[in-house]
Amino acid sequence: LSKVAGYFKLKPTQLMKKRSGHRDQRALAMEMMYRHSGIKQREIGRYVGDMMYSTVSHERQRIREVMERESRLKGWSEDLESILGAKPKI
């Protein structure tokens, strides 16, 4: 969470707020946490502001769909994959 927040020049707490104006960044953080940390969606939900695992799942699905259409988000994802370094879980 802190590495993703740092990439966007945000504080991790800004990605933990529900209506912070950083929905895509928050969803991308959840996707990267799922891919690179090995933790389950329920635990990710706890990290990002007490979100239910089903909401984490919906947001991850939404951000993957948006990444297919928007090059800006795809670029963010590729940059974060490089920063995180490890081979993604999926």
Side-chain angles (χ1 to χ4, degrees):
L1 187 60
S2 62
K3 285 185 179 185
V4 174
Y7 172 78
F8 291 113
K9 296 179 176 50
L10 301 170
K11 294 178 183 174
T13 54
Q14 289 176 282
L15 294 179
M16 296 168 70
K17 295 178 184 175
K18 291 182 182 176
R19 289 175 173 48
S20 68
H22 303 291
R23 183 180 182 190
D24 289 339
Q25 292 89 339
R26 182 182 188 186
L28 199 50
M30 290 187 276
E31 181 65 14
M32 293 300 136
M33 290 171 76
Y34 184 81
R35 288 183 185 189
H36 292 280
S37 70
I39 61 176
K40 305 222 182 269
Q41 293 182 133
R42 186 176 311 275
E43 193 171 349
I44 292 169
R46 284 189 218 123
Y47 280 116
V48 295
D50 229 8
M51 184 181 286
M52 297 193 60
Y53 77 92
S54 58
T55 307
V56 172
S57 178
H58 288 281
E59 282 296 294
R60 288 184 51 241
Q61 178 65 38
R62 182 191 67 79
I63 201 68
R64 287 191 306 269
E65 290 171 0
V66 173
M67 280 191 289
E68 290 178 14
R69 296 187 313 265
E70 293 188 24
S71 60
R72 174 181 60 116
L73 264 69
K74 186 172 181 157
W76 288 351
S77 175
E78 291 168 356
D79 289 349
L80 287 166
E81 293 284 358
S82 295
I83 291 167
L84 296 170
K87 194 156 186 109
K89 176 177 138 179
I90 53 174

